[in-house]
Amino acid sequence: MKQRVITAVVLLALLALVVWQIYTPLFIAVIASFSAIAANEIMKCAKISNKFLLIAGTVFAFCVPLFSNESIMEPLISSYMWYCFIGAVPKIVYVIVLVIAFFLAMLKGYSHTKFEDVAIAIVASVIVPYGFSLFGVMRDIGGFKSQIGIYLIFYALICALGTDSGAQLGGMAFGKTKMSPNISPKKTVEGAVSGIVFSLILNAVAIVLYNHIAVSPLTTTQTSVLMIAAPFVSFLSMMGDLTASVLKRNFGVKDFGKIFPGHGGVMDRFDSSLFTLPITYCIALFIV
């Protein structure tokens, strides 16, 4: 427990630093690093031995968030210059090249590289990083230095982390009915309901605080949509957590990694967020 608390304090300090520097390259550097580490964790848990898949997949995962939007490298690189660079070639071309390279690596190392290895490497180095890249996309969804973008990031994180914390506390206090005993024996229906309610309360508080300090507060329509959607987004966060549990069971591991002592790896901390970020982005497209 002491180790978990110390790690949590360090993570909160890192979060504060990233938020403080959210409009500098440090923000995307941290996101890109987390993306690369998460991809590498998945491939190592799957026991992929092909070095090319591991190295190329990890490097690609690091680069994906850097292509999230044209202003992501401000003020180090101007929006126009970065737009010209990332827009020179359609993004799908990079994915196609990577997938072909993975299959060529499978052919070369057919004795120890299976199709399952390639499939897992594609998910780890393409799908997961695109989830992380949404941090950069949503930061500037209302324009560079738009406050609503920062709020939406916190909305997605609150739905993920708030639900997880509320479910854990509610499960300890009221938990009786097992929600998914074969996947995660400790999770209960009562805990899940507590998590959703706790997330809803936190989001209500966050909206009040945001509207109090923001230059452009949320409109009534935006507030209504976000509050109505919050329980559904929170539910998806639990599905993300359960999905990660299934993957770990399939891989035969307790945690994806050990980078955060007492908390596991990057994927262990962001499994729920990778479900809440995409749905929050979809909501944002309608309200921003």
Side-chain angles (χ1 to χ4, degrees):
M1 179 59 71
K2 180 180 179 181
Q3 190 178 52
R4 285 180 63 87
V5 172
I6 294 174
T7 302
V9 171
V10 173
L11 287 174
L12 287 173
L14 177 61
L15 176 62
L17 177 62
V18 170
V19 172
W20 179 44
Q21 296 292 311
I22 199 167
Y23 289 112
T24 71
L26 175 64
F27 169 73
I28 198 60
V30 172
I31 299 302
S33 297
F34 281 172
S35 175
I37 294 169
N40 191 265
E41 287 174 347
I42 294 173
M43 291 187 284
K44 285 189 174 180
C45 285
K47 297 179 175 59
I48 295 177
S49 58
N50 190 302
K51 296 297 183 183
F52 179 81
L53 297 186
L54 285 169
I55 296 173
T58 301
V59 172
F60 191 87
F62 180 86
C63 294
V64 168
L66 302 181
F67 284 63
S68 58
N69 71 67
E70 64 273 9
S71 59
I72 202 67
M73 299 300 290
E74 290 274 9
L76 186 65
I77 302 175
S78 70
S79 297
Y80 176 74
M81 290 295 295
W82 196 243
Y83 171 77
C84 292
F85 175 72
I86 66 177
V89 178
K91 295 176 184 177
I92 189 62
V93 172
Y94 297 113
V95 177
I96 292 171
V97 170
L98 180 74
V99 172
I100 292 175
F102 278 178
F103 278 112
L104 292 177
M106 180 186 72
L107 293 176
K108 182 179 180 181
Y110 67 91
S111 61
H112 62 279
T113 305
K114 300 178 181 179
F115 170 74
E116 289 85 350
D117 296 335
V118 174
I120 291 171
I122 291 172
V123 171
S125 57
V126 178
I127 306 299
V128 170
Y130 268 97
F132 277 98
S133 72
L134 288 175
F135 279 107
V137 173
M138 286 203 295
R139 187 198 73 173
D140 298 333
I141 196 168
F144 186 55
K145 293 192 176 182
S146 169
Q147 293 176 320
I148 192 171
I150 299 177
Y151 166 74
L152 289 169
I153 290 176
F154 277 100
Y155 175 84
L157 293 177
I158 288 172
C159 286
L161 304 179
T163 301
D164 183 56
S165 300
Q168 186 175 14
L169 295 173
M172 293 170 59
F174 314 110
K176 292 182 180 180
T177 309
K178 298 294 183 181
M179 185 172 71
S180 186
N182 295 326
I183 299 176
S184 186
K186 293 183 179 180
K187 287 183 171 55
T188 63
V189 174
E190 294 81 4
V193 173
S194 299
I196 292 175
V197 172
F198 187 60
S199 171
L200 193 61
I201 293 172
L202 288 180
N203 272 305
V205 173
I207 286 177
V208 171
L209 291 175
Y210 175 80
N211 285 342
H212 180 70
I213 63 176
V215 175
S216 300
L218 296 171
T219 65
T220 302
T221 301
Q222 290 173 329
T223 300
S224 299
V225 171
L226 289 169
M227 289 303 297
I228 292 171
F232 300 99
V233 180
S234 296
F235 175 77
L236 283 177
S237 78
M238 290 188 285
M239 296 303 101
D241 188 42
L242 287 174
T243 299
S245 296
V246 170
L247 289 177
K248 286 186 281 189
R249 283 184 175 274
N250 290 340
F251 296 151
V253 298
K254 182 178 181 294
D255 295 314
F256 281 105
K258 299 179 180 178
I259 190 172
F260 301 133
H263 291 261
V266 171
M267 273 301 298
D268 294 292
R269 290 296 86 203
F270 286 91
D271 49 8
S272 299
S273 301
L274 292 178
F275 272 58
T276 61
L277 283 165
I279 191 65
T280 299
Y281 175 63
C282 291
I283 294 169
L285 290 178
F286 288 97
I287 66 172
V288 177

